[in-house]
Amino acid sequence: MSKFIIKGGETLSGEVNISSAKNAVLPIIAATILSGDKCVIENCPMLLDVFVITDLLKTLGAKINIDLLENKLEIDTSYVKCTDIDSELVRKMRGSFFIAGPMISRFGKVKMALPGGCNIGTRPVDLHLKGFKALGVNINIDHGFVEASTSKLLGSKIYLDFPSVGATENIIMASVLAEGETIIENAAEEPEVADLSNFLNKMGANISGIGTDRITIKGVKKLKGVTYRPIYDRIEVGTFMIAAVISKSLIKINGINEEHIKPIIAKLAEMGVCMEKYDNSLIVDGRRKLKPVDIKTMPYPGFPTDMQPQIMALLCCVDGTSVITETIFENRFMHVPEMTRMGANIKIDGRSAIIHGGTEFTGCSVKATDLRAGAALILLALAAEGETEVTDIYHVDRGYVSIEKKLQNLGADIKRM
Ligand code: UD1
């Protein structure tokens, strides 16, 4: 099994190019099913999770061409059939559930394994199912499988009890071809939901209220294949912003949308980090003395839960006490014991972590317990004295394109073994 070996203490410099967002591209790939045509995804991040969802589409009959040199994905869903869905692939990644909405929309039915929980929480799909039911879908859950069927999808008004990203996306995909109008209230406002909606509109859908908590979908008869370039990965941007600060360096990050990273910029600015924007690049200067801050993760435009472990790594290195409250996932402090092994002083109190920062860090062997936890340990290793070994890095490969190569180009001492 691969691992990263990181020698801390190097100063970073230079530029890093950001890839497209994993969380945008996964539902977009699923949505290509709706076209029954050929779609091209440009600047596609070639990640483990992308290969899982393209494998799933292949089992359904899609023809897929992956161009690793051009980072281009060509998907022809003309021959997709409504067959049973590979449970192994569904269990590999929660994002597999994105194909439920498009399959119901195109074929009026789908049967697939429930995705189950993961390290960071139980992560049910009740809100996805609530939305499908409102559109006239019969749902049956039996032996860990969900079977959905309908003779006709009818637009409806759906209120989400929580602005779930995945549920909002699945309901949008299920309703674009439904008869009449669907309104999703308390919808997720994340940029990735907006990107999926823009992709669908380019295909011919009629979605308005994009980027707000009230999304209206007017059903259309047919969608067509298109070429699309997804948005930049705001979480990858945030991770490299912290790489600059934690290593007390100055770097330039290319491929940003300032609006999408506002909550991260706001917190780093509060800590005393200097940042300057040029076109779609951001210069981050982490060479100043920093102050501790309190952070609460919230749905967008609040501080993203997917940046919580990484900013915790940084706060561990800042003199004083910071408090992080995690409100999205109930079990997203798995990285704390690993950080403690490196020298961190963190106490967990329910959904809050109290960080007494400014302790000395030394390298040791730590485990990536999930995707963002793995990224956070790599960041902390950049600031630690000596060598850190990060194991179970397949989690990191799920969501970061060649993170070690991008860090090496900036001057970090990191090797994949
Ligand atoms: C997406 C992102 C993930 C990010 C998360 C929150 C993708 C592929 N993943 O995950 O990286 O951390 O948004 O920004 O885009 N919930 C329910 N019932 C449901 C659905 C969700 O109770 O039917 C709960 C979850 O357990 C969780 C909260 O709602 O506590 C937020 O989950 P959600 O927004 O759905 O996250 P995902 O779409 O799974």
Side-chain angles (χ1 to χ4, degrees), residues 22-23 26-27 94-95 98 120 122-128 162-167 169 190 234 305-306 328-330 332 372:
K22 164 183 91 76
N23 288 352
L26 294 178
R94 278 187 56 80
F98 284 135
I120 61 174
T122 50
R123 304 181 82 178
V125 286
D126 56 322
L127 297 173
H128 302 232
F162 183 89
S164 155
V165 175
E169 292 170 334
E190 267 70 1
R234 64 194 165 103
T305 174
D306 283 355
I328 310 293
F329 292 110
E330 70 276 16
R332 204 168 198 176
R372 307 301 171 187

PDB file of all heavy atoms in Angstrom, residues 22-23 26-27 94-95 98 120 122-128 162-167 169 190 234 305-306 328-330 332 372, ligand 1:
ATOM      1  N   LYS A  22     -13.614  17.939  -7.793  1.00  0.00           N
ATOM      2  CA  LYS A  22     -14.140  16.564  -7.705  1.00  0.00           C
ATOM      3  C   LYS A  22     -15.641  16.592  -7.450  1.00  0.00           C
ATOM      4  O   LYS A  22     -16.407  15.878  -8.097  1.00  0.00           O
ATOM      5  CB  LYS A  22     -13.428  15.824  -6.560  1.00  0.00           C
ATOM      6  CG  LYS A  22     -14.124  14.552  -6.125  1.00  0.00           C
ATOM      7  CD  LYS A  22     -13.449  13.880  -4.951  1.00  0.00           C
ATOM      8  CE  LYS A  22     -13.947  14.291  -3.587  1.00  0.00           C
ATOM      9  NZ  LYS A  22     -15.232  13.752  -3.164  1.00  0.00           N
ATOM     10  N   ASN A  23     -16.060  17.429  -6.504  1.00  0.00           N
ATOM     11  CA  ASN A  23     -17.473  17.420  -6.116  1.00  0.00           C
ATOM     12  C   ASN A  23     -18.392  18.023  -7.173  1.00  0.00           C
ATOM     13  O   ASN A  23     -19.610  17.879  -7.086  1.00  0.00           O
ATOM     14  CB  ASN A  23     -17.672  18.142  -4.775  1.00  0.00           C
ATOM     15  CG  ASN A  23     -17.134  17.308  -3.620  1.00  0.00           C
ATOM     16  OD1 ASN A  23     -16.751  16.160  -3.806  1.00  0.00           O
ATOM     17  ND2 ASN A  23     -17.103  17.895  -2.430  1.00  0.00           N
ATOM     18  N   LEU A  26     -18.296  14.814 -10.267  1.00  0.00           N
ATOM     19  CA  LEU A  26     -18.985  13.527 -10.033  1.00  0.00           C
ATOM     20  C   LEU A  26     -20.466  13.588 -10.425  1.00  0.00           C
ATOM     21  O   LEU A  26     -20.929  12.756 -11.210  1.00  0.00           O
ATOM     22  CB  LEU A  26     -18.812  13.050  -8.580  1.00  0.00           C
ATOM     23  CG  LEU A  26     -17.387  12.686  -8.150  1.00  0.00           C
ATOM     24  CD1 LEU A  26     -17.357  12.271  -6.678  1.00  0.00           C
ATOM     25  CD2 LEU A  26     -16.819  11.564  -9.015  1.00  0.00           C
ATOM     26  N   PRO A  27     -21.247  14.573  -9.910  1.00  0.00           N
ATOM     27  CA  PRO A  27     -22.645  14.631 -10.366  1.00  0.00           C
ATOM     28  C   PRO A  27     -22.774  14.968 -11.851  1.00  0.00           C
ATOM     29  O   PRO A  27     -23.704  14.504 -12.510  1.00  0.00           O
ATOM     30  CB  PRO A  27     -23.274  15.721  -9.488  1.00  0.00           C
ATOM     31  CG  PRO A  27     -22.142  16.484  -8.905  1.00  0.00           C
ATOM     32  CD  PRO A  27     -20.982  15.553  -8.839  1.00  0.00           C
ATOM     33  N   ARG A  94     -19.655   7.022  -1.911  1.00  0.00           N
ATOM     34  CA  ARG A  94     -21.019   7.513  -1.703  1.00  0.00           C
ATOM     35  C   ARG A  94     -21.554   8.248  -2.922  1.00  0.00           C
ATOM     36  O   ARG A  94     -22.740   8.214  -3.215  1.00  0.00           O
ATOM     37  CB  ARG A  94     -21.045   8.452  -0.509  1.00  0.00           C
ATOM     38  CG  ARG A  94     -21.122   7.764   0.806  1.00  0.00           C
ATOM     39  CD  ARG A  94     -21.322   8.787   1.877  1.00  0.00           C
ATOM     40  NE  ARG A  94     -22.506   9.603   1.633  1.00  0.00           N
ATOM     41  CZ  ARG A  94     -23.743   9.236   1.897  1.00  0.00           C
ATOM     42  NH1 ARG A  94     -23.977   8.059   2.415  1.00  0.00           N
ATOM     43  NH2 ARG A  94     -24.758  10.041   1.636  1.00  0.00           N
ATOM     44  N   GLY A  95     -20.649   8.909  -3.652  1.00  0.00           N
ATOM     45  CA  GLY A  95     -21.043   9.672  -4.837  1.00  0.00           C
ATOM     46  C   GLY A  95     -21.716   8.810  -5.900  1.00  0.00           C
ATOM     47  O   GLY A  95     -22.369   9.333  -6.809  1.00  0.00           O
ATOM     48  N   PHE A  98     -25.308   9.326  -6.984  1.00  0.00           N
ATOM     49  CA  PHE A  98     -25.701  10.359  -7.952  1.00  0.00           C
ATOM     50  C   PHE A  98     -26.355   9.768  -9.193  1.00  0.00           C
ATOM     51  O   PHE A  98     -27.021  10.473  -9.934  1.00  0.00           O
ATOM     52  CB  PHE A  98     -24.483  11.172  -8.406  1.00  0.00           C
ATOM     53  CG  PHE A  98     -24.005  12.166  -7.390  1.00  0.00           C
ATOM     54  CD1 PHE A  98     -22.657  12.294  -7.106  1.00  0.00           C
ATOM     55  CD2 PHE A  98     -24.899  12.985  -6.734  1.00  0.00           C
ATOM     56  CE1 PHE A  98     -22.205  13.209  -6.180  1.00  0.00           C
ATOM     57  CE2 PHE A  98     -24.452  13.912  -5.804  1.00  0.00           C
ATOM     58  CZ  PHE A  98     -23.103  14.018  -5.519  1.00  0.00           C
ATOM     59  N   ILE A 120     -16.617   9.569   8.301  1.00  0.00           N
ATOM     60  CA  ILE A 120     -16.938  10.874   8.897  1.00  0.00           C
ATOM     61  C   ILE A 120     -18.363  10.965   9.433  1.00  0.00           C
ATOM     62  O   ILE A 120     -18.717  11.930  10.073  1.00  0.00           O
ATOM     63  CB  ILE A 120     -16.641  12.055   7.940  1.00  0.00           C
ATOM     64  CG1 ILE A 120     -17.466  11.957   6.661  1.00  0.00           C
ATOM     65  CG2 ILE A 120     -15.153  12.141   7.630  1.00  0.00           C
ATOM     66  CD1 ILE A 120     -17.319  13.179   5.750  1.00  0.00           C
ATOM     67  N   THR A 122     -22.720   8.926   9.521  1.00  0.00           N
ATOM     68  CA  THR A 122     -23.645   7.891   9.010  1.00  0.00           C
ATOM     69  C   THR A 122     -24.129   8.222   7.597  1.00  0.00           C
ATOM     70  O   THR A 122     -24.390   7.341   6.805  1.00  0.00           O
ATOM     71  CB  THR A 122     -24.867   7.749   9.937  1.00  0.00           C
ATOM     72  OG1 THR A 122     -25.389   9.053  10.170  1.00  0.00           O
ATOM     73  CG2 THR A 122     -24.510   7.090  11.238  1.00  0.00           C
ATOM     74  N   ARG A 123     -24.273   9.478   7.301  1.00  0.00           N
ATOM     75  CA  ARG A 123     -24.611   9.970   5.966  1.00  0.00           C
ATOM     76  C   ARG A 123     -25.777   9.225   5.309  1.00  0.00           C
ATOM     77  O   ARG A 123     -25.607   8.533   4.302  1.00  0.00           O
ATOM     78  CB  ARG A 123     -23.371   9.945   5.073  1.00  0.00           C
ATOM     79  CG  ARG A 123     -22.231  10.730   5.684  1.00  0.00           C
ATOM     80  CD  ARG A 123     -21.019  10.745   4.823  1.00  0.00           C
ATOM     81  NE  ARG A 123     -21.085  11.743   3.771  1.00  0.00           N
ATOM     82  CZ  ARG A 123     -20.101  11.962   2.917  1.00  0.00           C
ATOM     83  NH1 ARG A 123     -19.002  11.273   2.982  1.00  0.00           N
ATOM     84  NH2 ARG A 123     -20.211  12.890   1.986  1.00  0.00           N
ATOM     85  N   PRO A 124     -26.995   9.393   5.844  1.00  0.00           N
ATOM     86  CA  PRO A 124     -28.155   8.741   5.223  1.00  0.00           C
ATOM     87  C   PRO A 124     -28.525   9.395   3.889  1.00  0.00           C
ATOM     88  O   PRO A 124     -27.964  10.437   3.520  1.00  0.00           O
ATOM     89  CB  PRO A 124     -29.268   8.963   6.245  1.00  0.00           C
ATOM     90  CG  PRO A 124     -28.857  10.167   7.017  1.00  0.00           C
ATOM     91  CD  PRO A 124     -27.360  10.213   7.000  1.00  0.00           C
ATOM     92  N   VAL A 125     -29.469   8.773   3.158  1.00  0.00           N
ATOM     93  CA  VAL A 125     -29.924   9.378   1.891  1.00  0.00           C
ATOM     94  C   VAL A 125     -31.430   9.656   1.954  1.00  0.00           C
ATOM     95  O   VAL A 125     -32.101   9.734   0.933  1.00  0.00           O
ATOM     96  CB  VAL A 125     -29.588   8.488   0.653  1.00  0.00           C
ATOM     97  CG1 VAL A 125     -28.111   8.534   0.331  1.00  0.00           C
ATOM     98  CG2 VAL A 125     -30.072   7.066   0.840  1.00  0.00           C
ATOM     99  N   ASP A 126     -31.952   9.792   3.186  1.00  0.00           N
ATOM    100  CA  ASP A 126     -33.400   9.995   3.344  1.00  0.00           C
ATOM    101  C   ASP A 126     -33.913  11.237   2.607  1.00  0.00           C
ATOM    102  O   ASP A 126     -35.018  11.229   2.059  1.00  0.00           O
ATOM    103  CB  ASP A 126     -33.773  10.053   4.838  1.00  0.00           C
ATOM    104  CG  ASP A 126     -32.988  11.120   5.596  1.00  0.00           C
ATOM    105  OD1 ASP A 126     -31.795  11.300   5.303  1.00  0.00           O
ATOM    106  OD2 ASP A 126     -33.566  11.788   6.462  1.00  0.00           O
ATOM    107  N   LEU A 127     -33.097  12.292   2.545  1.00  0.00           N
ATOM    108  CA  LEU A 127     -33.559  13.519   1.880  1.00  0.00           C
ATOM    109  C   LEU A 127     -33.602  13.344   0.356  1.00  0.00           C
ATOM    110  O   LEU A 127     -34.473  13.899  -0.309  1.00  0.00           O
ATOM    111  CB  LEU A 127     -32.665  14.705   2.259  1.00  0.00           C
ATOM    112  CG  LEU A 127     -32.681  15.065   3.755  1.00  0.00           C
ATOM    113  CD1 LEU A 127     -31.640  16.125   4.058  1.00  0.00           C
ATOM    114  CD2 LEU A 127     -34.067  15.552   4.168  1.00  0.00           C
ATOM    115  N   HIS A 128     -32.684  12.542  -0.183  1.00  0.00           N
ATOM    116  CA  HIS A 128     -32.722  12.232  -1.624  1.00  0.00           C
ATOM    117  C   HIS A 128     -34.052  11.509  -1.902  1.00  0.00           C
ATOM    118  O   HIS A 128     -34.774  11.849  -2.838  1.00  0.00           O
ATOM    119  CB  HIS A 128     -31.589  11.275  -2.036  1.00  0.00           C
ATOM    120  CG  HIS A 128     -30.204  11.754  -1.750  1.00  0.00           C
ATOM    121  ND1 HIS A 128     -29.220  11.776  -2.705  1.00  0.00           N
ATOM    122  CD2 HIS A 128     -29.608  12.207  -0.616  1.00  0.00           C
ATOM    123  CE1 HIS A 128     -28.082  12.215  -2.183  1.00  0.00           C
ATOM    124  NE2 HIS A 128     -28.306  12.468  -0.907  1.00  0.00           N
ATOM    125  N   PHE A 162     -32.666  19.815   5.630  1.00  0.00           N
ATOM    126  CA  PHE A 162     -31.288  20.307   5.744  1.00  0.00           C
ATOM    127  C   PHE A 162     -30.816  20.563   4.308  1.00  0.00           C
ATOM    128  O   PHE A 162     -31.150  19.790   3.405  1.00  0.00           O
ATOM    129  CB  PHE A 162     -30.401  19.244   6.428  1.00  0.00           C
ATOM    130  CG  PHE A 162     -28.988  19.703   6.643  1.00  0.00           C
ATOM    131  CD1 PHE A 162     -28.631  20.377   7.806  1.00  0.00           C
ATOM    132  CD2 PHE A 162     -28.008  19.481   5.676  1.00  0.00           C
ATOM    133  CE1 PHE A 162     -27.327  20.828   7.997  1.00  0.00           C
ATOM    134  CE2 PHE A 162     -26.705  19.927   5.858  1.00  0.00           C
ATOM    135  CZ  PHE A 162     -26.372  20.600   7.026  1.00  0.00           C
ATOM    136  N   PRO A 163     -30.039  21.643   4.076  1.00  0.00           N
ATOM    137  CA  PRO A 163     -29.615  21.914   2.688  1.00  0.00           C
ATOM    138  C   PRO A 163     -28.533  20.935   2.225  1.00  0.00           C
ATOM    139  O   PRO A 163     -27.371  21.302   2.058  1.00  0.00           O
ATOM    140  CB  PRO A 163     -29.104  23.354   2.753  1.00  0.00           C
ATOM    141  CG  PRO A 163     -28.707  23.565   4.176  1.00  0.00           C
ATOM    142  CD  PRO A 163     -29.589  22.692   5.025  1.00  0.00           C
ATOM    143  N   SER A 164     -28.924  19.682   2.041  1.00  0.00           N
ATOM    144  CA  SER A 164     -27.975  18.644   1.629  1.00  0.00           C
ATOM    145  C   SER A 164     -27.519  18.868   0.185  1.00  0.00           C
ATOM    146  O   SER A 164     -28.344  19.049  -0.713  1.00  0.00           O
ATOM    147  CB  SER A 164     -28.648  17.274   1.760  1.00  0.00           C
ATOM    148  OG  SER A 164     -28.056  16.346   0.882  1.00  0.00           O
ATOM    149  N   VAL A 165     -26.214  18.815  -0.006  1.00  0.00           N
ATOM    150  CA  VAL A 165     -25.627  19.012  -1.336  1.00  0.00           C
ATOM    151  C   VAL A 165     -26.083  17.880  -2.268  1.00  0.00           C
ATOM    152  O   VAL A 165     -26.650  18.112  -3.340  1.00  0.00           O
ATOM    153  CB  VAL A 165     -24.074  19.034  -1.239  1.00  0.00           C
ATOM    154  CG1 VAL A 165     -23.435  19.104  -2.608  1.00  0.00           C
ATOM    155  CG2 VAL A 165     -23.618  20.186  -0.362  1.00  0.00           C
ATOM    156  N   GLY A 166     -25.850  16.638  -1.823  1.00  0.00           N
ATOM    157  CA  GLY A 166     -26.171  15.486  -2.670  1.00  0.00           C
ATOM    158  C   GLY A 166     -27.657  15.386  -2.962  1.00  0.00           C
ATOM    159  O   GLY A 166     -28.050  15.092  -4.102  1.00  0.00           O
ATOM    160  N   ALA A 167     -28.500  15.634  -1.955  1.00  0.00           N
ATOM    161  CA  ALA A 167     -29.952  15.522  -2.170  1.00  0.00           C
ATOM    162  C   ALA A 167     -30.411  16.583  -3.164  1.00  0.00           C
ATOM    163  O   ALA A 167     -31.192  16.298  -4.085  1.00  0.00           O
ATOM    164  CB  ALA A 167     -30.696  15.653  -0.840  1.00  0.00           C
ATOM    165  N   GLU A 169     -28.704  17.932  -5.521  1.00  0.00           N
ATOM    166  CA  GLU A 169     -28.240  17.566  -6.876  1.00  0.00           C
ATOM    167  C   GLU A 169     -29.052  16.408  -7.455  1.00  0.00           C
ATOM    168  O   GLU A 169     -29.446  16.431  -8.623  1.00  0.00           O
ATOM    169  CB  GLU A 169     -26.745  17.211  -6.816  1.00  0.00           C
ATOM    170  CG  GLU A 169     -25.908  18.447  -6.496  1.00  0.00           C
ATOM    171  CD  GLU A 169     -24.448  18.163  -6.189  1.00  0.00           C
ATOM    172  OE1 GLU A 169     -24.110  17.041  -5.742  1.00  0.00           O
ATOM    173  OE2 GLU A 169     -23.627  19.084  -6.362  1.00  0.00           O
ATOM    174  N   GLU A 190     -24.160  25.433  -2.488  1.00  0.00           N
ATOM    175  CA  GLU A 190     -22.742  25.198  -2.801  1.00  0.00           C
ATOM    176  C   GLU A 190     -22.464  25.451  -4.294  1.00  0.00           C
ATOM    177  O   GLU A 190     -23.302  25.132  -5.157  1.00  0.00           O
ATOM    178  CB  GLU A 190     -22.372  23.738  -2.463  1.00  0.00           C
ATOM    179  CG  GLU A 190     -21.810  23.506  -1.071  1.00  0.00           C
ATOM    180  CD  GLU A 190     -22.824  23.674   0.058  1.00  0.00           C
ATOM    181  OE1 GLU A 190     -24.001  23.968  -0.217  1.00  0.00           O
ATOM    182  OE2 GLU A 190     -22.422  23.523   1.219  1.00  0.00           O
ATOM    183  N   ARG A 234     -12.465  24.443  -5.080  1.00  0.00           N
ATOM    184  CA  ARG A 234     -12.233  25.436  -4.013  1.00  0.00           C
ATOM    185  C   ARG A 234     -11.570  24.783  -2.786  1.00  0.00           C
ATOM    186  O   ARG A 234     -10.885  25.453  -2.016  1.00  0.00           O
ATOM    187  CB  ARG A 234     -13.543  26.142  -3.630  1.00  0.00           C
ATOM    188  CG  ARG A 234     -14.577  25.232  -3.037  1.00  0.00           C
ATOM    189  CD  ARG A 234     -15.963  25.856  -2.975  1.00  0.00           C
ATOM    190  NE  ARG A 234     -16.956  24.831  -2.722  1.00  0.00           N
ATOM    191  CZ  ARG A 234     -17.539  24.616  -1.563  1.00  0.00           C
ATOM    192  NH1 ARG A 234     -17.263  25.374  -0.533  1.00  0.00           N
ATOM    193  NH2 ARG A 234     -18.419  23.639  -1.416  1.00  0.00           N
ATOM    194  N   THR A 305     -16.968  22.290   5.722  1.00  0.00           N
ATOM    195  CA  THR A 305     -16.527  21.146   6.538  1.00  0.00           C
ATOM    196  C   THR A 305     -15.340  20.447   5.865  1.00  0.00           C
ATOM    197  O   THR A 305     -14.475  19.892   6.553  1.00  0.00           O
ATOM    198  CB  THR A 305     -17.679  20.147   6.775  1.00  0.00           C
ATOM    199  OG1 THR A 305     -17.169  18.997   7.442  1.00  0.00           O
ATOM    200  CG2 THR A 305     -18.352  19.704   5.491  1.00  0.00           C
ATOM    201  N   ASP A 306     -15.273  20.513   4.525  1.00  0.00           N
ATOM    202  CA  ASP A 306     -14.166  19.855   3.819  1.00  0.00           C
ATOM    203  C   ASP A 306     -12.830  20.569   4.011  1.00  0.00           C
ATOM    204  O   ASP A 306     -11.799  20.098   3.521  1.00  0.00           O
ATOM    205  CB  ASP A 306     -14.486  19.753   2.315  1.00  0.00           C
ATOM    206  CG  ASP A 306     -15.482  18.633   2.027  1.00  0.00           C
ATOM    207  OD1 ASP A 306     -15.833  17.890   2.953  1.00  0.00           O
ATOM    208  OD2 ASP A 306     -15.920  18.511   0.861  1.00  0.00           O
ATOM    209  N   ILE A 328     -21.621  19.882  10.508  1.00  0.00           N
ATOM    210  CA  ILE A 328     -22.171  19.143   9.354  1.00  0.00           C
ATOM    211  C   ILE A 328     -22.116  17.626   9.561  1.00  0.00           C
ATOM    212  O   ILE A 328     -23.107  16.923   9.347  1.00  0.00           O
ATOM    213  CB  ILE A 328     -21.436  19.518   8.035  1.00  0.00           C
ATOM    214  CG1 ILE A 328     -21.370  21.047   7.858  1.00  0.00           C
ATOM    215  CG2 ILE A 328     -22.086  18.852   6.827  1.00  0.00           C
ATOM    216  CD1 ILE A 328     -22.681  21.748   7.624  1.00  0.00           C
ATOM    217  N   PHE A 329     -20.956  17.109   9.948  1.00  0.00           N
ATOM    218  CA  PHE A 329     -20.809  15.661  10.128  1.00  0.00           C
ATOM    219  C   PHE A 329     -20.523  15.347  11.593  1.00  0.00           C
ATOM    220  O   PHE A 329     -19.770  16.068  12.251  1.00  0.00           O
ATOM    221  CB  PHE A 329     -19.699  15.108   9.230  1.00  0.00           C
ATOM    222  CG  PHE A 329     -20.057  15.168   7.768  1.00  0.00           C
ATOM    223  CD1 PHE A 329     -19.418  16.050   6.914  1.00  0.00           C
ATOM    224  CD2 PHE A 329     -21.060  14.359   7.247  1.00  0.00           C
ATOM    225  CE1 PHE A 329     -19.762  16.113   5.567  1.00  0.00           C
ATOM    226  CE2 PHE A 329     -21.415  14.420   5.903  1.00  0.00           C
ATOM    227  CZ  PHE A 329     -20.763  15.291   5.065  1.00  0.00           C
ATOM    228  N   GLU A 330     -21.116  14.251  12.082  1.00  0.00           N
ATOM    229  CA  GLU A 330     -21.043  13.967  13.520  1.00  0.00           C
ATOM    230  C   GLU A 330     -19.739  13.295  13.942  1.00  0.00           C
ATOM    231  O   GLU A 330     -19.443  13.179  15.108  1.00  0.00           O
ATOM    232  CB  GLU A 330     -22.257  13.130  13.956  1.00  0.00           C
ATOM    233  CG  GLU A 330     -22.310  11.695  13.479  1.00  0.00           C
ATOM    234  CD  GLU A 330     -22.895  11.534  12.074  1.00  0.00           C
ATOM    235  OE1 GLU A 330     -22.984  12.552  11.346  1.00  0.00           O
ATOM    236  OE2 GLU A 330     -23.224  10.401  11.705  1.00  0.00           O
ATOM    237  N   ARG A 332     -16.372  13.901  12.474  1.00  0.00           N
ATOM    238  CA  ARG A 332     -15.312  14.378  11.602  1.00  0.00           C
ATOM    239  C   ARG A 332     -14.101  14.905  12.363  1.00  0.00           C
ATOM    240  O   ARG A 332     -13.488  15.898  11.973  1.00  0.00           O
ATOM    241  CB  ARG A 332     -15.841  15.440  10.629  1.00  0.00           C
ATOM    242  CG  ARG A 332     -14.972  15.514   9.410  1.00  0.00           C
ATOM    243  CD  ARG A 332     -15.509  16.277   8.275  1.00  0.00           C
ATOM    244  NE  ARG A 332     -14.765  15.889   7.073  1.00  0.00           N
ATOM    245  CZ  ARG A 332     -15.018  16.314   5.864  1.00  0.00           C
ATOM    246  NH1 ARG A 332     -16.009  17.133   5.650  1.00  0.00           N
ATOM    247  NH2 ARG A 332     -14.292  15.903   4.850  1.00  0.00           N
ATOM    248  N   ARG A 372      -9.951  14.327   3.551  1.00  0.00           N
ATOM    249  CA  ARG A 372      -9.445  15.634   4.005  1.00  0.00           C
ATOM    250  C   ARG A 372      -8.552  15.485   5.230  1.00  0.00           C
ATOM    251  O   ARG A 372      -7.659  16.302   5.463  1.00  0.00           O
ATOM    252  CB  ARG A 372     -10.604  16.592   4.286  1.00  0.00           C
ATOM    253  CG  ARG A 372     -11.586  16.742   3.132  1.00  0.00           C
ATOM    254  CD  ARG A 372     -10.958  17.240   1.845  1.00  0.00           C
ATOM    255  NE  ARG A 372     -11.905  17.151   0.724  1.00  0.00           N
ATOM    256  CZ  ARG A 372     -11.603  17.391  -0.543  1.00  0.00           C
ATOM    257  NH1 ARG A 372     -10.371  17.716  -0.892  1.00  0.00           N
ATOM    258  NH2 ARG A 372     -12.515  17.283  -1.483  1.00  0.00           N
TER     259      ARG A 372
HETATM  260  C1  UD1 B   1     -21.106  16.657  -0.186  1.00  0.00           C
HETATM  261  C2  UD1 B   1     -19.661  16.580  -0.598  1.00  0.00           C
HETATM  262  C3  UD1 B   1     -18.767  16.434   0.637  1.00  0.00           C
HETATM  263  C4  UD1 B   1     -19.040  17.558   1.630  1.00  0.00           C
HETATM  264  C5  UD1 B   1     -20.531  17.654   1.937  1.00  0.00           C
HETATM  265  C6  UD1 B   1     -20.877  18.847   2.812  1.00  0.00           C
HETATM  266  C7  UD1 B   1     -19.815  15.527  -2.769  1.00  0.00           C
HETATM  267  C8  UD1 B   1     -19.506  14.344  -3.621  1.00  0.00           C
HETATM  268  N1  UD1 B   1     -19.484  15.444  -1.473  1.00  0.00           N
HETATM  269  O1  UD1 B   1     -21.428  15.426   0.450  1.00  0.00           O
HETATM  270  O2  UD1 B   1     -17.404  16.484   0.201  1.00  0.00           O
HETATM  271  O3  UD1 B   1     -18.347  17.290   2.832  1.00  0.00           O
HETATM  272  O4  UD1 B   1     -21.288  17.768   0.723  1.00  0.00           O
HETATM  273  O5  UD1 B   1     -20.460  20.020   2.223  1.00  0.00           O
HETATM  274  O6  UD1 B   1     -20.284  16.530  -3.249  1.00  0.00           O
HETATM  275  N2  UD1 B   1     -27.907  14.216   5.292  1.00  0.00           N
HETATM  276  C9  UD1 B   1     -29.045  13.584   5.760  1.00  0.00           C
HETATM  277  N3  UD1 B   1     -29.857  12.983   4.847  1.00  0.00           N
HETATM  278  C10 UD1 B   1     -29.610  12.991   3.510  1.00  0.00           C
HETATM  279  C11 UD1 B   1     -28.447  13.640   3.045  1.00  0.00           C
HETATM  280  C12 UD1 B   1     -27.610  14.248   3.965  1.00  0.00           C
HETATM  281  O7  UD1 B   1     -29.305  13.564   6.956  1.00  0.00           O
HETATM  282  O8  UD1 B   1     -30.395  12.423   2.733  1.00  0.00           O
HETATM  283  C13 UD1 B   1     -26.985  14.847   6.258  1.00  0.00           C
HETATM  284  C14 UD1 B   1     -25.602  14.176   6.252  1.00  0.00           C
HETATM  285  O9  UD1 B   1     -25.572  13.038   7.068  1.00  0.00           O
HETATM  286  C15 UD1 B   1     -24.724  15.299   6.762  1.00  0.00           C
HETATM  287  C16 UD1 B   1     -25.391  16.550   6.193  1.00  0.00           C
HETATM  288  O10 UD1 B   1     -26.725  16.177   5.838  1.00  0.00           O
HETATM  289  O11 UD1 B   1     -24.745  15.339   8.157  1.00  0.00           O
HETATM  290  C17 UD1 B   1     -24.697  17.129   4.986  1.00  0.00           C
HETATM  291  O12 UD1 B   1     -24.602  16.150   3.983  1.00  0.00           O
HETATM  292  P1  UD1 B   1     -24.654  16.496   2.429  1.00  0.00           P
HETATM  293  O13 UD1 B   1     -24.715  17.961   2.223  1.00  0.00           O
HETATM  294  O14 UD1 B   1     -25.716  15.653   1.800  1.00  0.00           O
HETATM  295  O15 UD1 B   1     -23.256  15.950   1.959  1.00  0.00           O
HETATM  296  P2  UD1 B   1     -22.960  15.041   0.718  1.00  0.00           P
HETATM  297  O16 UD1 B   1     -23.762  15.479  -0.450  1.00  0.00           O
HETATM  298  O17 UD1 B   1     -22.978  13.624   1.112  1.00  0.00           O
END
